[in-house]
Amino acid sequence: MKKFAFCYLACAAMLLPFAQGVTAQQAYELRLNAQKVGAPVHATMYGLFFEDINFAADGGLYAEMVKNRSFDFPQSLMGWKTFGNATVKTEQPLFERNPAYVVLAYAGHDHKQTGLENEGFVGMGFKKEAAYRFSVWAKTVDAAEPQKIRVEFIGAGSDVIGREELVIASPDWEKYTVTLRARATDEKGCLRIFLTTKGAIAVEHVSLFPEDTYRGRENGLRKDLAELLAGLQPGIFRFPGGCIVEGTDLATRYNWKNSIGPVENRPVNENRWHYTFPHRFFPDYYQSYGLGFYEFFLFSEDIGAEPLPVLSCGLACQFQNDGERCHVPVDKLEDYVQDALDLIEFANGDAATRWGKIRGEMGHPEPFGMKYIGIGNEQWGREYIERLEPFVKAIRAKYPDVKIVGSSGPSSDGKEFDYLWPEMKRLKVDLVDEHYYKDPEWFLKSAARYDAYSRKAPAVFAGEYACHLPRRANSFYAALCEAAFMTGLERNADVVHMATYAPLLAHVSAWQWRPDMIWFDNLRSAKTPSYYVQQLYSLNKGTHVMPLTLNQKAATGESGLYASAVCDQAESCYIVKVANTSQEDKAIRLVLDNVSKKTRLQPEVEVIVLEAEANQENTLDRPEAVAPKVSSASLSGNILQAAIRAEAFVVYKIRYQ
Ligand code: AHR
């Protein structure tokens, strides 16, 4: 596994013969048959799996900086410090689904202070000179005069690094906003609010967003993270998970209907990842639903990905619940089935429909054109099949064009997997979700996994996967094994229509699960080597599979070499991907056979190389330690001779006219 320094020394010596030309015997010969254009590669092939784990939504992609902004966590003041005369109230609430608010009243002495302080998500990240939009719903309480608050950003050492004032003028609830500019950069700051007059006010839904969100939206996404996701050019976007779909119990399952409408009235939900791993316990982890289903559809549209919502099938997490009594009885599933039908109407219905109208009122009168829906996450057993069946019937009857994704359970093989696949065929779902978090050996061995799969429906959705090393690090070697495995996804694009690495995002100070594709703190983010592998596949997915052999056999691991090829008919090029997982440099000879006489191959080949020490990771301090490098090589006629370093992933792009 480890790439030793001697490899690099040896490499220098080996490159000399490469430069002088490698004979056919020395080289590993890859042959691409240009005449045999294979199956289309689906536009959905590579995509995103999103779940609010590792503070991926609240505290991550969702740009809100205030934790527990509506005071409706079970402990009303979690995330807040109060000082002076501050009281939590719920009488006559402004938002019935988020009833708690805070009354700030005169502290009783001019030298004393009343107010609130919010700690953010492991602090608040402020950038020097950046503008932030503070907003609060407020009213005066029993006061004849308007009241005032002072809003401050507090940095390290308790320095005030931003300050503005707001007048709360009305005895009725109103939304007040003010823009603050940060005078310094601080990764772990906080927000402080002082009442500066002698009366009293009530405050509710205290919010702070950077002005510079992705596409400048008010209820927006953190720009750097959203741009990293957009940079993957994903074809599919699965949301909202993951186990979060199911809930630890049914009451805490992800309820999409609670995640739409005005953000102030979206009820807080428990996040199961706050307690799933006692050794990574985060008691302050809740879901605001601020990044809800409307924002999911909107972002999918922004980045050109097909939205793939996954809904509860009426089973609470089967890992955490034993027995039927924890789930919805099969004959009482109507509300859950109706939720699925209503979601399709919310996404696709016109303004005359109940849910389409709500979408229009939220700002998107045009339908989102949703084509896929997943029912259940990692479910298994007869209890799943019994519940999935009524969903399939109802969706087929009302929306025959919507494709349904079923589950093959939490494992890549075994009893449950073997039971579920035939059941999925019987129920005629369109895609089957497979999950595998496995070690490098499994990933290398499984590059041929789909070669023998039935070519008949349903297709495969590799919905969660990642190569796990003992330390569960996002090292280069894990990414290389994923790259090798993915040659098998690409070669079998007629069977595999979607693949999404998981999980996607992780806060460096608040994660529960690793490895993950992107790491971040409150100001910075880093792409892992796995991100780059995903990106190299996605940006070079081509339009059709091309047959490719290695020394006349399938390129599934001989001497540690894995390879696949596609052509891109829109861009007029062949794209060959090779992962060298061995600890030796390899000389390859790539031959393009049967190129038509009318096709003129361009002599300059684009070469993109991802290589590093096996244990190398990208960190927030060294985010580009592992990154692809682009160079070129020369095609001689229809032959490319090239050297691939030990433990490297290479993409060759051969253009033609
Ligand atoms: O990706 C993390 C978790 O792994 C998902 O929530 C679940 O589906 C799987 O077990």
Side-chain angles (χ1 to χ4, degrees):
M1 251 168 53
K2 192 169 183 321
K3 179 187 272 186
F4 298 102
F6 76 77
C7 286
Y8 286 112
L9 297 174
C11 191
M14 286 179 76
L15 280 175
L16 194 61
F18 294 156
Q20 292 167 344
V22 181
T23 66
Q25 282 135 321
Q26 284 172 293
Y28 288 86
E29 189 168 75
L30 290 161
R31 297 194 89 102
L32 181 156
N33 188 344
Q35 220 170 43
K36 291 209 167 154
V37 177
V41 179
H42 286 253
T44 53
M45 184 69 179
Y46 306 105
L48 304 176
F49 159 90
F50 184 90
E51 177 168 26
D52 193 2
I53 181 173
N54 307 316
F55 285 74
D58 289 297
L61 184 60
Y62 185 46
E64 172 63 85
M65 295 163 73
V66 177
K67 182 166 67 193
N68 189 14
R69 61 187 172 185
S70 63
F71 309 103
D72 285 289
F73 284 15
Q75 286 76 25
S76 309
L77 290 175
M78 189 175 258
W80 294 96
K81 280 181 194 148
T82 59
F83 42 92
N85 190 352
T87 332
V88 178
K89 303 258 187 203
T90 51
E91 298 88 48
Q92 296 175 307
L94 174 60
F95 305 112
E96 87 247 5
R97 301 203 290 182
N98 280 324
Y101 57 94
V102 168
V103 170
L104 302 175
Y106 182 56
H109 187 290
D110 285 2
H111 284 202
K112 295 187 182 180
Q113 308 282 357
T114 285
L116 288 162
E117 185 175 300
N118 190 273
E119 66 190 27
F121 299 91
V122 208
M124 284 181 191
F126 297 113
K127 278 187 203 151
K128 189 173 176 183
E129 302 304 337
Y132 296 84
R133 198 174 7 87
F134 171 87
S135 67
V136 60
W137 284 86
K139 63 177 182 179
T140 58
V141 178
D142 301 330
E145 301 291 315
Q147 300 294 305
K148 264 193 201 166
I149 56 171
R150 192 171 76 237
V151 183
E152 291 183 350
F153 296 163
I154 309 298
S158 287
D159 291 344
V160 177
I161 57 169
R163 175 179 289 159
E164 284 297 337
E165 288 198 341
L166 264 180
V167 177
I168 311 300
S170 171
D172 300 318
W173 285 108
E174 277 179 24
K175 185 176 176 178
Y176 296 85
T177 59
V178 64
T179 299
L180 287 86
R181 216 164 266 282
R183 292 198 291 268
T185 293
D186 204 298
E187 204 256 308
K188 291 214 161 123
C190 69
L191 174 76
R192 209 175 271 164
I193 302 162
F194 294 91
L195 176 71
T196 58
T197 43
K198 292 188 180 170
I201 58 167
V203 292
E204 165 67 298
H205 198 88
V206 181
S207 171
L208 184 70
F209 275 84
E211 265 190 4
D212 192 19
T213 56
Y214 183 68
R215 301 210 173 187
R217 294 203 179 100
E218 282 204 6
N219 186 49
L221 305 182
R222 202 176 118 170
K223 196 174 180 183
D224 61 330
L225 297 179
E227 283 177 347
L228 290 188
L229 302 186
L232 289 162
Q233 294 182 13
I236 192 84
F237 184 11
R238 172 178 165 192
F239 178 94
C243 292
I244 228 168
V245 168
E246 307 157 32
T248 295
D249 43 37
L250 288 167
T252 54
R253 75 186 191 282
Y254 197 106
N255 184 338
W256 78 264
K257 286 176 177 164
N258 286 347
S259 80
I260 60 165
V263 285
E264 293 89 343
N265 208 20
R266 300 183 192 176
V268 168
N269 192 15
E270 189 176 283
N271 188 319
R272 57 159 298 139
W273 296 108
H274 109 209
Y275 47 69
T276 299
F277 300 123
H279 59 289
R280 303 287 312 166
F281 187 67
F282 290 87
D284 57 348
Y285 199 2
Y286 285 83
Q287 299 177 78
S288 70
Y289 281 154
L291 195 183
F293 264 73
Y294 178 78
E295 291 74 22
F296 151 64
F297 284 122
L298 203 58
F299 187 50
S300 302
E301 185 174 80
D302 289 344
I303 59 180
E306 294 293 345
L308 168 51
V310 183
L311 296 189
S312 161
C313 64
L315 289 170
C317 174
Q318 288 168 278
F319 285 113
Q320 293 175 308
N321 293 283
D322 197 12
E324 279 288 344
R325 75 201 145 71
C326 312
H327 311 305
V328 186
V330 180
D331 59 359
K332 301 230 158 49
L333 266 177
E334 313 90 77
D335 288 353
Y336 286 71
V337 175
Q338 193 58 47
D339 272 356
L341 299 176
D342 291 345
L343 178 69
I344 301 173
E345 186 176 293
F346 176 71
N348 296 351
D350 61 35
T353 63
R354 176 178 172 204
W355 294 98
K357 181 165 178 277
I358 295 174
R359 184 198 66 240
E361 285 162 3
M362 290 185 75
H364 202 286
E366 309 77 28
F368 282 115
M370 164 190 152
K371 301 188 182 106
Y372 302 92
I373 191 165
I375 304 297
N377 175 44
E378 283 180 345
Q379 323 300 165
W380 65 76
R382 213 160 69 85
E383 55 267 47
Y384 174 46
I385 299 304
E386 286 168 349
R387 286 167 178 82
L388 178 60
E389 202 155 3
F391 280 89
V392 174
K393 275 195 191 135
I395 295 169
R396 292 282 185 242
K398 193 155 185 201
Y399 299 108
D401 294 337
V402 171
K403 292 196 175 358
I404 300 172
V405 181
S407 165
S408 61
S411 304
S412 58
D413 52 19
K415 192 167 136 267
E416 294 300 345
F417 183 90
D418 293 343
Y419 164 69
L420 287 167
W421 253 102
E423 287 297 306
M424 292 300 133
K425 288 187 179 166
R426 184 179 68 77
L427 293 181
K428 295 196 173 59
V429 302
D430 299 284
L431 292 114
V432 178
D433 185 9
E434 295 191 352
H435 294 181
Y436 21 84
Y437 297 104
K438 298 283 189 177
D439 61 18
E441 205 187 321
W442 185 93
F443 269 86
L444 297 182
K445 189 180 74 199
S446 303
R449 176 180 176 92
Y450 296 109
D451 293 356
Y453 260 51
S454 155
R455 274 31 217 173
K456 291 196 193 127
V460 170
F461 168 34
E464 290 185 34
Y465 67 94
C467 178
H468 282 207
L469 292 168
R471 216 164 42 85
R472 290 183 154 214
N474 273 108
S475 69
F476 171 70
Y477 188 71
L480 180 65
C481 293
E482 288 153 9
F485 169 74
M486 289 172 77
T487 59
L489 301 184
E490 182 166 276
R491 185 173 49 254
N492 291 287
D494 56 332
V495 171
V496 183
H497 294 186
M498 302 173 180
T500 55
Y501 177 100
L504 188 58
L505 292 161
H507 193 299
V508 288
S509 305
W511 58 270
Q512 295 81 48
W513 179 295
R514 60 180 187 178
D516 305 285
M517 209 206 290
I518 297 166
W519 287 86
F520 60 90
D521 65 12
N522 290 339
L523 292 175
R524 301 172 297 169
S525 44
K527 306 173 218 174
T528 61
S530 294
Y531 175 97
Y532 283 120
V533 165
Q534 293 296 320
Q535 192 181 43
L536 285 171
Y537 270 92
S538 182
L539 271 53
N540 297 290
K541 70 173 172 295
T543 54
H544 295 81
V545 181
M546 297 300 297
L548 183 81
T549 56
L550 170 64
N551 293 344
Q552 299 177 343
K553 289 183 286 207
T556 52
E558 182 187 325
S559 305
L561 286 175
Y562 298 79
S564 57
V566 291
C567 68
D568 192 315
Q569 294 182 338
E571 276 194 36
S572 301
C573 64
Y574 297 109
I575 305 169
V576 178
K577 304 183 182 78
V578 188
N580 178 8
T581 62
S582 77
Q583 292 186 13
E584 288 164 6
D585 303 339
K586 294 278 186 331
I588 63 148
R589 183 169 185 268
L590 170 63
V591 184
L592 282 87
D593 286 321
N594 304 321
V595 177
S596 96
K597 291 220 171 70
K598 283 187 269 166
T599 304
R600 285 192 22 238
L601 296 172
Q602 302 292 294
E604 187 171 317
V605 175
E606 185 180 329
V607 183
I608 312 170
V609 180
L610 189 67
E611 62 173 338
E613 289 283 344
N615 291 330
Q616 185 70 60
E617 297 184 59
N618 287 339
T619 62
L620 293 174
D621 293 329
R622 287 193 66 208
E624 295 288 318
V626 186
K629 296 200 172 48
V630 183
S631 61
S632 62
S634 296
L635 198 67
S636 166
N638 63 335
I639 297 175
L640 173 74
Q641 312 235 73
I644 303 186
R645 301 245 222 181
E647 296 184 345
F649 177 51
V650 187
V651 178
Y652 299 101
K653 253 179 148 162
I654 303 148
R655 296 197 163 77
Y656 59 80
Q657 282 182 330

